[in-house]
Amino acid sequence: MRVSEPVEDYTSSEAASDSGQENSSAEGGRVGSEAYTSSSDSEALQGPQIPFEQLLQQKQEGRLSSKPYTVHKQSSTQPIGKVGKSDFKRQNKNRPIEQSSKRPVPRHRQVLEVSNSKSRDPRFENLSGKFSTDQFRKQYAFVYDEALPEEKKDLKRQLQGTKDPDSRQQLQTQLARVEQQIKEEQTRRQQQDQLKSHKAEEVAAVKQGKQPYFMKRSETKRQQLIARYKHLKATGGLEKVVQKRRRKNAMKDHRYVPASRHTKP
């Protein structure tokens, strides 16, 4: 029994020393891990080591955010080799949108947002109402009643004070064009008055119990020629118009006359 007691003391001392070593090693590992995590956290909070001049330049260009720098940790579910979709946002609405450099730039892109302005043709839109020829003639009657007669007087005044042959020819052409427009408008108004009077007579006849009568185009043209003949006869211009028509018909008939043959003696 005396021999076995020292052995028990030795084994207990070895166990105590082994447990002390294990505790010390565990405490040392814990202290080392805490020191590593604290150093990594401090590095994450401080951010990467960037020169002050580069930081100042980024701040002036607007690329540096005013918010504190934070390191985004990678998710454990996402693979290491792949990068997540970036959300490009503008810090200010007046700045351009940041886009990824990995995408090719399209040839046609909309730089500025412009509201779509569609052109509208009043001739085919219901918003402009229906076209009325009579209303249009009434609204623009001043062109033939005031504007063109005034232009005619001005052209005659310029023609009297101009001696250059080219200028006189140009003024005469313009004067003839204005006179033709005035004359055509007068003829159109006379024909329109004649049609209105005929329609009024037919309406009155229908009210009396007669059947309505619709004039054909040939009959309308015949009535217009009769009215023109009466007007020319009353104004004294009938002979002039008849002579002009005779010359025109003679020129037409001259084309069918055979040419004279030149024979040698």
Side-chain angles (χ1 to χ4, degrees), residues 87-220:
D87 187 10
F88 297 103
K89 294 183 179 179
R90 293 182 293 180
Q91 297 178 2
N92 189 355
K93 65 178 182 179
N94 297 326
R95 294 182 181 179
I97 300 176
E98 183 182 0
Q99 296 184 359
S100 175
S101 61
K102 296 182 179 180
R103 294 182 180 179
V105 180
R107 294 185 178 181
H108 304 284
R109 62 173 181 172
Q110 186 176 1
V111 180
L112 299 176
E113 296 181 359
V114 183
S115 59
N116 295 329
S117 58
K118 296 182 180 180
S119 59
R120 185 172 62 86
D121 195 343
R123 297 175 299 173
F124 308 105
E125 290 290 337
N126 295 328
L127 297 175
S128 302
K130 295 182 179 180
F131 176 73
S132 177
T133 307
D134 296 337
Q135 188 69 20
F136 178 79
R137 296 291 182 182
K138 288 179 181 179
Q139 290 179 353
Y140 290 94
F142 69 92
V143 177
Y144 300 96
D145 296 340
E146 300 176 4
L148 288 179
E150 189 67 26
E151 185 178 357
K152 181 180 177 180
K153 292 180 181 179
D154 190 14
L155 289 173
K156 285 184 177 180
R157 195 182 305 111
Q158 292 180 10
L159 189 61
Q160 291 177 359
T162 304
K163 296 182 180 180
D164 186 14
D166 296 336
S167 300
R168 287 182 65 86
Q169 182 66 27
Q170 186 177 1
L171 290 173
Q172 287 176 358
T173 304
Q174 293 180 2
L175 182 61
R177 179 179 58 82
V178 171
E179 290 178 349
Q180 183 67 21
Q181 288 179 353
I182 295 173
K183 186 177 179 180
E184 288 178 356
E185 180 63 20
Q186 291 177 355
T187 305
R188 190 198 63 79
R189 289 181 180 181
Q190 291 176 1
Q191 295 176 359
Q192 194 71 17
D193 294 340
Q194 184 180 359
L195 288 175
K196 286 182 179 180
S197 62
H198 174 71
K199 287 182 180 180
E201 292 176 358
E202 291 298 326
V203 170
V206 169
K207 288 181 179 180
Q208 292 177 2
K210 297 182 180 180
Q211 292 183 356
Y213 172 72
F214 299 98
M215 190 182 298
K216 297 181 180 179
R217 291 185 179 180
S218 59
E219 186 65 21
T220 304

Side-chain angles (χ1 to χ4, degrees), residues 6 163 225 248:
K163 296 182 180 180
L225 289 174
K248 187 176 180 180

